[in-house]
Amino acid sequence: MKSIFKTFALGGMLAFASASSQAALISISFSADPNAEANFLASLVGPSVTETFDSLGTAPGSIGAGHQNNWENRSSSFNTAVGTFTMVTEGQDAAAGNPYNKDLMIESRATGEFGRQALASSDTDLWLDSNDAKLVTWTIGAPLTGSFNAFGFYISDATDQGATLTLNFSNGTSAQVVLPAFNTNGNVGYVTVKTDMGIVGGVLDFINSNGTDGWGIDDVTVGRVPEPSTLLLMGLGLLGLGAARRRNAA
């Protein structure tokens, strides 16, 4: 069943608290802090899985000048250690200069489009590129399915980018959250999602409002964090607020 969420703004972090005690609490944050990934990884307990996309650049190709005519690999769908990324709706016409507009791209600093190169720390550091798609779906999955409750990733050049996140939890509930556009045009930011319940699966729909722009994603990690204290306090606050309202109503 879908849970009903209230939305709070907490100093740059978007936090979502369910109205039901049986539904998961979710926090979503976006940070341009260069230490954001390191801080997230340091918060993990137990095993984790990271997809760097470096091993997917196995079929480099080029059909002429221009970034969209060069790639390290291309496919309409990539199966990875953290799930499957799929091109759903292309953003450009092949005749307009993007001949493989129906494919996602694995890119490097040598082949990638303007604004996304900031994802790469070296010439062999690859990322997954949307190839200016209007809709890309990440079906979340990993060897840790059912035992992880958090994930994080870098995203670059995504100023038009918004997303819809649907998560399925170990207690049989599910939740859907709309993420606002990430303000990272030409830059890199780190996104983290944390919950207080085990995630058994989900889908993140990356929605691009501009068919002539796109984004890149890299270093996607899924793992487990201790129950986030912010979420716990928020849950207690909501319970206290509910109790106060019931007393006032009486």
Side-chain angles (χ1 to χ4, degrees):
M1 65 179 182
K2 294 292 177 64
S3 303
I4 300 173
F5 281 77
K6 297 182 179 179
T7 306
F8 301 82
L10 298 176
M13 180 178 75
L14 291 177
F16 300 87
S18 73
S20 168
S21 60
Q22 293 183 343
L25 300 173
I26 307 172
S27 73
I28 301 170
S29 66
F30 173 83
S31 176
D33 183 344
N35 297 315
E37 181 191 30
N39 293 338
F40 173 69
L41 296 179
S43 72
L44 298 179
V45 294
S48 63
V49 176
T50 298
E51 178 57 65
T52 66
F53 303 103
D54 295 345
S55 65
L56 298 179
T58 56
S62 175
I63 56 173
H67 293 306
Q68 288 181 327
N69 296 318
N70 299 273
W71 56 85
E72 301 293 343
N73 200 356
R74 63 180 177 83
S75 177
S76 61
S77 182
F78 284 100
N79 294 318
T80 76
V82 294
T84 303
F85 293 83
T86 303
M87 164 80 78
V88 178
T89 306
E90 66 273 16
Q92 296 181 351
D93 190 329
N98 191 349
Y100 294 105
N101 62 329
K102 297 183 183 297
D103 284 340
L104 299 173
M105 299 290 185
I106 302 296
E107 301 280 18
S108 68
R109 289 198 301 199
T111 66
E113 295 186 44
F114 171 79
R116 273 88 112 176
Q117 289 95 333
L119 284 167
S121 59
S122 69
D123 290 341
T124 58
D125 185 6
L126 310 183
W127 70 86
L128 177 73
D129 197 275
S130 71
N131 196 22
D132 297 350
K134 286 188 176 180
L135 177 61
V136 175
T137 293
W138 171 28
T139 303
I140 302 167
L144 303 179
T145 296
S147 62
F148 72 98
N149 67 351
F151 55 88
F153 55 86
Y154 282 109
I155 193 163
S156 179
D157 197 28
T159 190
D160 315 355
Q161 184 62 42
T164 299
L165 172 64
T166 302
L167 292 175
N168 302 316
F169 300 105
S170 55
N171 71 342
T173 63
S174 65
Q176 186 176 83
V177 178
V178 177
L179 281 66
F182 304 125
N183 186 22
T184 63
N185 196 32
N187 297 306
V188 174
Y190 196 75
V191 177
T192 60
V193 177
K194 301 177 182 179
T195 80
D196 66 342
M197 195 173 293
I199 299 170
V200 297
V203 175
L204 186 55
D205 289 326
F206 294 95
I207 305 163
N208 187 11
S209 62
N210 186 345
T212 61
D213 200 359
W215 48 270
I217 189 172
D218 199 10
D219 296 336
V220 184
T221 298
V222 299
R224 172 165 288 278
V225 295
E227 182 172 319
S229 58
T230 300
L231 295 178
L232 178 60
L233 291 173
M234 183 181 299
L236 293 175
L238 287 174
L239 291 176
L241 179 61
R245 287 177 174 172
R246 285 193 293 272
R247 287 196 297 270
N248 290 338

